[in-house]
């Protein structure tokens, strides 16, 4: 049992990840990065986006980033470029993570690249070129962090297991899972039994994304973001992109265009009904007042290798999942409204 507190400033020079139980001796670069605002800010961004409003998945992007750093340090302790890239791979995320990616052209990859270059002097002092970090983060350079298309990488491994624990889907301790894994060209490789367990976590995560509570919270927050940002100047949008979840809440609550819906979402996320639209259904934008459209464009279904080989496709281990994109209409629940 470690007696070192798992603080996210690493004041002791050591980070002990509470999920993976990996103890990481942080480098001087990593310790400096933990004191920068772009990394610190991730502690105020919910990894699960707006679903944190109504689920137990309340951990931050910083916790996930430190989890990824711990995994890289476990498998490739001397790969300092990948370690640094893991540290900063999410610094471009907007408030509530992916919730309003793409609105008004905002893209967390592009923003992240800019912020990594803003940290260029820090990287340079430690003998690393910021452009190299960007290439690793974006997958243009082979590294411990990136795998071939369709294969599970460490970034998503941390997400699936961390989310699985928050939702009660894990049936194996994460350190035990970790002991059964290795990395082949950036891809997670394991035995058949552990791969089956990971497949269940991957499918469970996809089902969570398709669940009513995630669709309501994420869909309404995205519609709120569109309403708040549509008439903003470029400078104002940049300010939003730099904000934290709590700062964005303050913006929504202070804007007459969004304050009513934002208040209702905070008070009772269960007051809406979700209707999944069938493929080919009417795309007309006309909806009654208080009804909102939402679309899930991607389900994360990359799979691990089994003893060095690709063994199973998502259609095999998760046949119940629909093909993305999946479209919804979110409407007020008349029963909930009458009960108020």
């Amino acid at each position: 049992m470690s007696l070192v507190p798992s603080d996210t400033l690493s004041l002791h020079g050591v980070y002990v990840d509470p999920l993976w139980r990996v103890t990481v001796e942080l480098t001087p670069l990593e310790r400096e990065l933990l004191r920068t605002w772009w990394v610190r800010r991730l502690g105020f961004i919910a990894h699960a986006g707006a679903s944190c409003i109504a689920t137990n998945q309340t951990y931050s992007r910083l916790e996930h980033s430190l989890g990824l750093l711990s995994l890289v340090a476990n498998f490739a302790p001397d790969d300092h470029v990948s370690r640094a890239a893991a540290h900063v791979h999410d610094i471009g995320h907007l408030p509530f993570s992916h919730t309003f990616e793409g609105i008004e052209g905002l893209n967390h990859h592009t923003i992240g690249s800019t912020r990594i270059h803003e940290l260029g002097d820090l990287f340079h002092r430690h003998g690393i070129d910021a452009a190299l970090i960007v290439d690793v983060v974006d997958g243009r350079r082979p590294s411990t962090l990136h795998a071939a298309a369709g294969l599970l990488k460490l970034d998503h491994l941390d997400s699936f297991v961390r989310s699985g624990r928050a939702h009660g889907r894990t049936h194996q301790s994460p350190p035990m899972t970790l002991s059964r894994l290795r990395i082949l060209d950036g891809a997670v490789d394991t035995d058949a039994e552990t791969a089956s367990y990971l497949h269940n976590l991957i499918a469970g995560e996809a089902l969570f994304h398709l669940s009513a509570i995630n669709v309501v919270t994420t869909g309404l927050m995205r519609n709120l973001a569109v309403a708040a940002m549509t008439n903003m100047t470029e400078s104002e949008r940049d300010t939003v992109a730099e904000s934290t979840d709590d700062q964005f809440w303050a913006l929504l609550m202070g804007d007459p265009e969004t304050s009513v819906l934002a208040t209702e979402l905070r008070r009772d996320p269960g007051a809406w009904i979700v209707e999944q639209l069938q493929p080919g259904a009417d795309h007309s934008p006309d909806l009654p007042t208080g009804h909102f459209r939402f679309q899930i464009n991607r389900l994360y279904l990359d799979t691990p290798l089994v003893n060095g080989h690709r063994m199973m496709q998502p259609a095999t281990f998760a046949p119940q999942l629909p093909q993305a994109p999946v479209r919804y209409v979110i409407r007020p629940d008349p029963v909930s409204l009458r009960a108020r």
Side-chain angles (χ1 to χ4, degrees):
M1 178 183 297
S2 173
L3 298 180
V4 178
S6 189
D7 67 282
T8 57
L9 284 174
S10 187
L11 298 179
H12 298 274
V14 173
Y15 179 70
V16 183
D17 190 81
L19 179 74
W20 299 108
R21 304 293 178 88
V22 172
T23 299
V24 183
E25 297 282 348
L26 293 177
T27 66
L29 168 60
E30 291 160 357
R31 295 185 69 179
E32 277 199 66
L33 284 170
L34 282 174
R35 304 293 292 275
T36 66
W37 172 241
W38 289 137
V39 174
R40 289 290 304 153
R41 173 183 169 274
L42 296 177
F44 306 98
I45 305 293
H47 183 269
S51 65
C52 69
I53 299 167
T55 74
N56 288 326
Q57 197 173 349
T58 56
Y59 56 86
S60 70
R61 280 275 156 190
L62 180 57
E63 291 173 75
H64 162 66
S65 297
L66 287 168
L68 180 57
L69 168 64
S70 300
L71 289 174
V72 174
N74 178 75
F75 288 109
D78 297 324
D79 186 353
H80 295 294
V81 171
S82 290
R83 287 173 59 145
H87 217 131
V88 299
H89 79 287
D90 271 349
I91 63 173
H93 267 291
L94 301 156
F96 296 104
S97 293
H98 292 283
T99 301
F100 54 106
E101 184 81 10
I103 295 174
E104 297 295 328
L106 293 172
N107 178 290
H108 84 271
H109 295 292
T110 303
I111 296 169
S113 297
T114 299
R115 291 176 181 170
I116 290 170
H117 282 292
E118 289 178 10
L119 296 172
D121 288 345
L122 189 161
F123 286 118
H124 181 73
R125 289 200 305 273
H126 295 275
I128 298 177
D129 188 346
L132 176 60
I133 300 294
V134 171
D135 285 345
V136 169
V137 169
D138 290 345
R140 289 188 294 270
R141 184 183 180 92
S143 74
T144 313
L145 290 177
H146 282 277
L151 294 180
L152 181 63
K153 58 185 180 179
L154 290 177
D155 184 7
H156 293 166
L157 171 69
D158 184 85
S159 292
F160 293 140
V161 176
R162 202 169 290 272
S163 172
R165 184 181 67 167
H167 290 287
R169 294 191 298 266
T170 50
H171 301 294
Q172 184 181 101
S173 73
M176 180 180 291
T177 302
L178 184 59
S179 71
R180 297 175 176 178
L181 308 180
R182 63 176 180 157
I183 301 300
L184 294 179
D185 296 325
V188 173
D189 179 64
T190 189
D191 57 84
E193 180 183 356
T194 306
S196 177
Y197 170 66
L198 291 175
H199 288 154
N200 288 334
L201 290 181
I202 293 165
E205 181 72 359
L207 288 170
F208 162 66
H209 281 288
L210 298 168
S211 69
I213 197 60
N214 183 64
V215 171
V216 166
T217 52
T218 304
L220 292 182
M221 181 62 77
R222 184 172 179 85
N223 277 276
L224 282 165
V226 171
M229 298 173 65
T230 296
N231 296 318
M232 285 185 176
T233 65
E234 183 177 355
S235 175
E236 288 170 332
R237 289 195 295 271
D238 289 344
T239 298
V240 169
E242 295 176 0
S243 67
T244 59
D245 291 358
D246 55 332
Q247 290 171 324
F248 191 66
W249 267 126
L251 184 153
L252 294 176
M253 301 298 283
D255 185 342
E257 294 292 322
T258 56
S259 61
V260 173
L261 180 58
T263 299
E264 291 177 346
L265 176 58
R266 286 166 65 96
R267 288 182 176 178
D268 187 8
W272 282 271
I273 293 174
V274 173
E275 176 188 356
Q276 181 178 333
L277 301 179
Q278 296 302 312
D282 181 21
H283 286 255
S284 169
D286 296 329
L287 287 174
T289 300
H291 290 53
F292 304 93
R293 293 191 185 276
F294 179 60
Q295 180 169 301
I296 293 177
N297 294 312
R298 178 184 178 186
L299 296 174
Y300 293 84
L301 298 172
D302 294 342
T303 60
L305 293 168
V306 178
N307 298 321
H309 302 283
R310 293 179 185 248
M311 298 297 291
M312 190 177 291
Q313 297 300 315
T316 303
F317 74 84
Q320 72 274 40
L321 296 176
Q323 292 289 317
V326 188
R327 297 181 299 115
Y328 301 90
V329 170
I330 305 167
R331 57 186 174 85
D333 179 0
V335 175
S336 294
L337 290 176
R338 286 198 298 271
R340 291 183 180 182

